[in-house]
Amino acid sequence: MFNNLKIRIDKLSVAYDDGTQALRNVCLDIPKNSITALFGPAGGGKSTLLRTLNRLNDLIDISVTGNIILDNISIFDRSVDVISLRRRIGIVFAQPIPLPFSIKQNVTYGLELSGERNRVKLDDAVESSLRAAALWEEVKDRLNESASALSGGQQQRLCIARVLALEPEVLLLDEPTSGLDPISTAKVESSLQTLKEKYTVIIAPSSIQQTARIADLAVFMLQGELIESGIGEELFSSPREKQTEEYITGRFG
């Protein structure tokens, strides 16, 4: 289907300490330089899968079986440094949370925290990250203003830029446009088409319509199970599974 595998998810199951089975035996190959869109009704396991991919779920009491292979190395291997992993696999959540700093400081925060002090490199990172997030032209003349003064759509793109400044290999997006207006949503979607040229993008879209617009690889999830995956256009035009067809056509969900 695709060349250049980036991530292989092998028989992944996740259960919470209350007994809830969030993921059941999920198997999926995620290609490089593409947009993989996870879609399905609430409670399908999309957010759990995203959080497991960069081991954010380590912070809560869960049980994980199976494996996730990133560039031929298991992310659960003892040799893997979790902080470094989260830099390689960055995540942006639905609710934009800008730091209480300037626009510029929001972008450079992670770099400075990791020890970068070269002002030229920091300035270059600000411009390149904001350009990649389709925000540069809107804020280039007010980089020292508070990030809280930005609109919701701009704040979300700023959060994407903040992650991109750390130069991740994989970008995880959990409903990044759920609270945005149509114009801001279109800008984020457009930026994703550019971002996939350099990054591997895995997104839980805000709607089934968004999935159809942006997915190179579409993945339908239902009650913790991966029901079907395939090339976006093909899956939406001729789904193989009855459950996928019923969801796409609005018979449930």
Side-chain angles (χ1 to χ4, degrees):
M1 185 184 301
F2 292 95
N3 295 320
N4 299 320
L5 180 67
K6 184 64 178 179
I7 295 173
R8 169 159 286 167
I9 301 170
D10 184 28
K11 298 178 181 178
L12 181 70
S13 294
V14 175
Y16 292 101
D17 60 352
D18 63 359
T20 302
Q21 192 76 30
L23 295 174
R24 295 181 180 87
N25 202 36
V26 172
C27 296
L28 179 66
D29 286 351
I30 297 174
K32 292 180 181 178
N33 302 113
S34 62
I35 299 174
T36 297
L38 314 174
F39 75 103
K46 304 181 295 293
S47 294
T48 298
L49 179 54
L50 291 178
R51 293 173 64 90
T52 305
L53 282 167
N54 78 341
R55 292 184 57 178
L56 271 183
N57 279 334
D58 288 11
L59 304 175
I60 58 178
D61 191 8
I62 61 168
S63 171
V64 179
T65 59
N67 209 352
I68 298 174
I69 308 297
L70 172 67
D71 291 337
N72 300 315
I73 299 293
S74 169
I75 69 168
F76 303 116
D77 191 278
R78 291 183 179 181
S79 65
V80 172
D81 178 80
V82 177
I83 294 176
S84 297
L85 174 71
R86 291 176 185 151
R87 183 165 178 166
R88 293 179 67 189
I89 305 179
I91 189 167
V92 177
F93 299 102
Q95 180 64 39
I97 305 176
L99 301 171
F101 308 133
S102 69
I103 296 168
K104 181 178 181 179
Q105 288 173 305
N106 263 265
V107 179
T108 62
Y109 179 78
L111 291 172
E112 292 180 296
L113 201 63
S114 62
E116 182 60 69
R117 296 291 181 266
N118 187 303
R119 300 313 306 179
V120 173
K121 289 184 178 179
L122 292 172
D123 288 345
D124 287 346
V126 169
E127 180 172 351
S128 62
S129 301
L130 289 172
R131 283 189 183 279
L135 187 58
W136 174 253
E137 293 300 328
E138 297 171 40
V139 302
K140 62 182 181 181
D141 296 322
R142 51 189 183 123
L143 295 176
N144 294 318
E145 293 183 14
S146 173
S148 62
L150 297 175
S151 69
Q154 290 173 326
Q155 288 184 7
Q156 186 62 287
R157 282 178 283 149
L158 178 63
C159 290
I160 293 173
R162 191 169 68 207
V163 171
L164 295 180
L166 295 171
E167 298 186 328
E169 300 166 31
V170 180
L171 181 63
L172 309 177
L173 302 167
D174 194 358
E175 297 192 10
T177 63
S178 60
L180 304 187
D181 60 86
I183 294 175
S184 295
T185 296
K187 288 182 178 180
V188 171
E189 290 182 8
S190 178
S191 69
L192 293 180
Q193 299 303 320
T194 302
L195 290 173
K196 75 177 184 181
E197 296 175 7
K198 184 175 180 181
Y199 307 98
T200 299
V201 179
I202 308 171
I203 180 173
S206 303
S207 67
I208 190 171
Q209 293 83 6
Q210 186 174 63
T211 305
R213 288 194 299 267
I214 67 173
D216 295 316
L217 177 67
V219 181
F220 178 52
M221 300 184 69
L222 180 65
Q223 296 179 331
E225 297 183 0
L226 194 161
I227 304 301
E228 181 175 354
S229 65
I231 295 172
E233 292 181 359
E234 295 179 3
L235 187 144
F236 278 91
S237 62
S238 54
R240 299 184 303 275
E241 302 295 331
K242 181 180 178 181
Q243 291 163 302
T244 311
E245 181 182 8
E246 290 180 343
Y247 184 74
I248 289 173
T249 55
R251 295 179 200 171
F252 77 93

